[in-house]
Amino acid sequence: MNVLLLSMPDSSEHMSSITIRMPNGALSSLAGNVDPGHRVAVADLILATARVRETVERLVREREPDVVGLSVMTFQRRTARRVAALVRALRPRARLVVGGYDPSLAPEAWAAEDVDFLVRGEGEVTFRELLRALEGRGPLDGVRGLSHRTQGTWRHNPDRPVSSLDTGLVRPPNRSARILSGYTFLGRAVDVVETSRGCTFDCSFCSIIAMRGRNFHKYDFDRVLADIRDARDHGARVVFLVDDNITLDVRRFEALCEAIIGAGLDDVDYLVQATTAAVADREDTLPPLMRRAGFRYAFLGIENVLDEDLGFLKARVKNARRGEGGRRTQSASLAAVRALRREGIHVVGGLIVGNPGDTRESVEANLDFARRHVDWPYIQHPTPYPGTPMTRDLRSRGLIAVERPEESDGTMAVVRSEHLGTDEIEFMRWRAERWMKVRHFPAALRRSPWFVLRHAKAMLGHTFRGCTLRTLVGLEDERLAFERYRAIRRAEAEFL
Ligand code: B12
Ligand code: SF4
């Protein structure tokens, strides 16, 4: 069968498509896991943001797909529905399948849509079996994790248990299936690699637990190294390890760094997400190893610097370091930031402001921490993603002010606090963050001089969109610029 897999063009405020265009890891993994004989093409629409409609039209014409799969996060739901409608109009006989976090955790949001299948949870085996069923090699009812229509109503087959990853059932990704080009991280070709899946923490804002339960499964190092080599052979000079929580087994992560060095794969730059407690607990061993292996940026889930907010986010344990007697008491954030920066690893600081108890002062305390300690701010607002404990909590407290999924990229405030409205929360973040981002420009220039010089105007323009010279020199109320910025963002999110 001809299969076309698409990821959506929408990106979050912190992931400007000028500087960062990453492949969607799910789609190449799906492409590597269908039976031989299918003709699979993967197209990441982040590579075609200015011409989404034309690109989809061309791909449908050229590939003549029997099956079209869309990978969807919640903030991409509106775009995905439009892409689905376009595909349906262009090729009515193609079967439409949607998968990823949004269809998995909010299947009801897709019930009235003109799509044929939802794949809930991990997709590799479910999609493989779906294609078999469509070829008449087994009943649709037997495909676990699949939702499909029978006689006009949706039938949700039983869930599929998560894969243990050590049985070979999930085969390596197929990067050769990608048909668009232009992946970049500040001018260098970037790819994504997984070494594990899952997490055993239960942060209230995170979708991972609703998606797959609390568990942790690992690929063996031979497979991981082969996967990195494959990414490098396909041109990658930067690899993002997209594990849900690679630092859950921190000794394994250290061993992985050693394995990367031993295999000569330390000529690639690495990006990773980490918890502060794990880094702080191993501050003398982990960051130096990470540096030797080639890690350049680490996203730290600091979440919040105030204890009360960490309680709301259920993120106390992963942000506390061991004190006397091994008890986790003091905050690990500062120790983790310092240990990484000591090794020259840039810290992307993940913080969440606008929590229920937040006042102007508590938001400002977090912004101030970011100002002083992180290299690149990744500040978000509490966002009611489907199925998370935080969403239930916020809804019961009546704090969700905006119910538009397309505004749930984490940087549009849709939840008010007990003291501040959404506009005020977002305004405070926006006003502070622009200047923090500018401060990282010299470091980015040193790392990628040609790229930054060539794109400096666009990069600055993106960071300061909505602002004019009058705003920057203080001759105009910044709130006017903020309103323009929000209007621009809304317009940018209309891809077709
Ligand atoms: C890596 C990652 C990123 C990377 C993305 C890199 C890339 N291009 O892939 C970066 C850092 C850029 C990123 C950013 C964001 N992310 Co993110 N990210 C993740 C993370 C850690 C892992 C995702 C991953 O690649 N997994 C590996 C692949 C193989 O698994 P998968 O994506 O789950 O796909 C499987 C299934 O979902 C399914 N599937 C997926 N698509 C499809 C399609 C079809 C047709 C089928 C059949 C199946 C299928 O099958 C796949 C294989 O099993 C997750 C989870 C987590 N613990 O936090 C969050 C997560 C996906 N991100 C999330 C969000 C919200 C964002 C942001 C909007 C804001 C933010 N919180 O940072 C931005 C916006 C991204 C953008 N486009 O601009 C949310 C999504 C919640 C939701 N309900 O939509 C998650 C779940 C985290 C959370 N907060 O809970 N993210
Ligand atoms: S530690 Fe990270 S992956 Fe694990 S539940 Fe918390 S936010 Fe999610």
Side-chain angles (χ1 to χ4, degrees):
M1 283 196 281
N2 290 342
V3 180
L4 175 62
L5 299 174
L6 302 171
S7 69
M8 298 304 107
D10 319 60
S11 60
S12 105
E13 173 66 9
H14 296 315
M15 292 277 151
S16 144
S17 61
I18 303 164
T19 46
I20 304 177
R21 298 186 293 274
M22 295 210 204
N24 174 301
L27 296 187
S28 29
S29 187
L30 294 174
N33 276 279
V34 299
D35 289 325
H38 297 298
R39 192 168 154 258
V40 188
V42 168
D44 286 299
L45 294 175
I46 189 77
L47 302 172
T49 48
R51 36 181 208 294
V52 170
R53 176 180 295 277
E54 299 84 324
T55 304
V56 172
E57 284 171 353
R58 177 175 64 78
L59 294 178
V60 169
R61 197 172 53 242
E62 288 173 5
R63 312 296 304 191
E64 300 182 329
D66 304 297
V67 175
V68 177
L70 311 183
S71 183
V72 192
M73 285 198 223
T74 300
F75 82 108
Q76 302 170 328
R77 187 189 292 166
R78 186 182 63 182
T79 305
R81 285 174 170 170
R82 291 175 182 174
V83 171
L86 176 61
V87 172
R88 184 64 95 209
L90 293 168
R91 194 165 167 85
R93 52 164 289 209
R95 305 297 194 99
L96 272 163
V97 190
V98 290
Y101 277 84
D102 194 53
S104 300
L105 299 178
E108 68 288 351
W110 289 89
E113 294 302 307
D114 186 12
V115 297
D116 302 298
F117 303 103
L118 310 183
V119 167
R120 309 183 321 267
E122 273 187 343
E124 289 87 355
V125 182
T126 308
F127 192 60
R128 186 191 300 163
E129 291 181 5
L130 168 63
L131 295 190
R132 284 180 193 163
L134 291 176
E135 287 181 322
R137 295 194 283 142
L140 284 171
D141 276 349
V143 182
R144 298 189 76 165
L146 184 74
S147 301
H148 59 106
R149 290 177 199 273
T150 26
Q151 292 156 0
T153 55
W154 280 96
R155 188 186 168 91
H156 302 290
N157 294 351
D159 291 344
R160 177 177 295 279
V162 295
S163 310
S164 62
L165 302 187
D166 53 6
T167 58
L169 197 62
V170 178
R171 299 191 291 253
N174 173 7
R175 297 187 169 83
S176 303
R178 295 176 186 155
I179 51 171
L180 301 180
S181 59
Y183 299 111
T184 189
F185 180 82
L186 282 168
R188 293 172 203 213
V190 64
D191 213 323
V192 296
V193 166
E194 294 178 272
T195 92
S196 67
R197 285 183 185 176
C199 181
T200 54
F201 285 107
D202 61 347
C203 305
S204 66
F205 54 89
C206 179
S207 310
I208 190 75
I209 308 307
M211 183 75 167
R212 49 179 295 123
R214 291 171 79 175
N215 52 67
F216 187 60
H217 293 285
K218 305 167 269 195
Y219 285 117
D220 68 44
F221 283 179
D222 286 345
R223 171 181 157 134
V224 174
L225 297 176
D227 199 5
I228 297 175
R229 210 169 277 118
D230 183 63
R232 193 176 64 175
D233 291 346
H234 280 84
R237 294 294 165 263
V238 180
V239 164
F240 180 12
L241 299 183
V242 292
D243 300 34
D244 299 317
N245 185 359
I246 201 169
T247 48
L248 200 60
D249 184 346
V250 68
R251 284 169 201 272
R252 172 180 177 273
F253 184 30
E254 287 181 354
L256 178 65
C257 292
E258 277 164 355
I260 286 174
I261 299 164
L265 291 166
D266 50 353
D267 55 352
V268 170
D269 286 352
Y270 294 90
L271 321 173
V272 73
Q273 323 197 77
T275 60
T276 62
V279 176
D281 285 349
R282 308 283 297 175
E283 63 181 317
D284 296 329
T285 48
L286 179 62
L289 265 175
M290 286 172 68
R291 177 191 151 82
R292 283 179 47 220
F295 285 83
R296 301 287 174 247
Y297 283 84
F299 175 99
L300 274 186
I302 299 166
E303 321 306 3
N304 206 284
V305 296
L306 303 175
D307 195 56
E308 192 197 330
D309 279 345
L310 279 179
F312 166 71
L313 298 166
K314 283 196 82 184
R316 269 197 190 117
V317 181
K318 68 165 189 161
N319 282 298
R321 66 182 314 198
R322 285 185 208 284
E324 271 173 41
R327 288 216 332 272
R328 293 197 172 275
T329 45
Q330 339 135 241
S331 162
S333 299
L334 210 50
V337 168
R338 287 188 175 142
L340 289 167
R341 294 183 84 184
R342 225 172 12 242
E343 296 299 327
I345 298 170
H346 296 301
V347 171
V348 180
L351 287 149
I352 304 180
V353 301
N355 301 302
D358 269 349
T359 56
R360 211 174 283 281
E361 290 71 31
S362 61
V363 171
E364 197 45 59
N366 279 283
L367 296 176
D368 195 49
F369 180 91
R371 237 178 245 121
R372 285 192 289 138
H373 300 295
V374 310
D375 296 289
W376 183 262
Y378 204 108
I379 304 173
Q380 302 189 66
H381 306 300
T383 305
Y385 295 116
T388 67
M390 190 175 81
T391 302
R392 289 190 286 278
D393 187 358
L394 293 170
R395 185 152 287 132
S396 71
R397 295 200 212 184
L399 293 173
I400 301 177
V402 180
E403 297 263 13
R404 287 189 289 272
E406 60 275 17
E407 298 196 6
S408 62
D409 82 329
T411 62
M412 302 192 194
V414 295
V415 168
R416 62 181 174 82
S417 84
E418 281 147 10
H419 310 279
L420 298 170
T422 51
D423 286 0
E424 194 55 23
I425 292 167
E426 190 176 326
F427 175 67
M428 288 180 77
R429 178 196 59 75
W430 168 83
R431 188 178 50 184
E433 228 175 15
R434 297 165 306 163
W435 298 104
M436 296 183 215
K437 288 180 174 175
V438 170
R439 278 195 337 216
H440 189 60
F441 275 48
L445 181 69
R446 279 195 297 281
R447 189 166 292 289
S448 311
W450 294 119
F451 180 85
V452 173
L453 284 175
R454 205 144 40 91
H455 297 279
K457 198 167 158 225
M459 287 162 70
L460 282 169
H462 180 269
T463 307
F464 285 96
R465 56 207 197 289
C467 302
T468 64
L469 210 53
R470 281 169 52 79
T471 333
L472 300 180
V473 296
L475 289 175
E476 180 193 57
D477 184 347
E478 279 188 308
R479 281 172 201 272
L480 290 173
F482 176 61
E483 285 314 318
R484 284 199 297 271
Y485 152 79
R486 293 219 290 197
I488 294 169
R489 283 195 71 188
R490 290 207 179 93
E492 283 170 350
E494 299 283 343
F495 290 96
L496 73 178

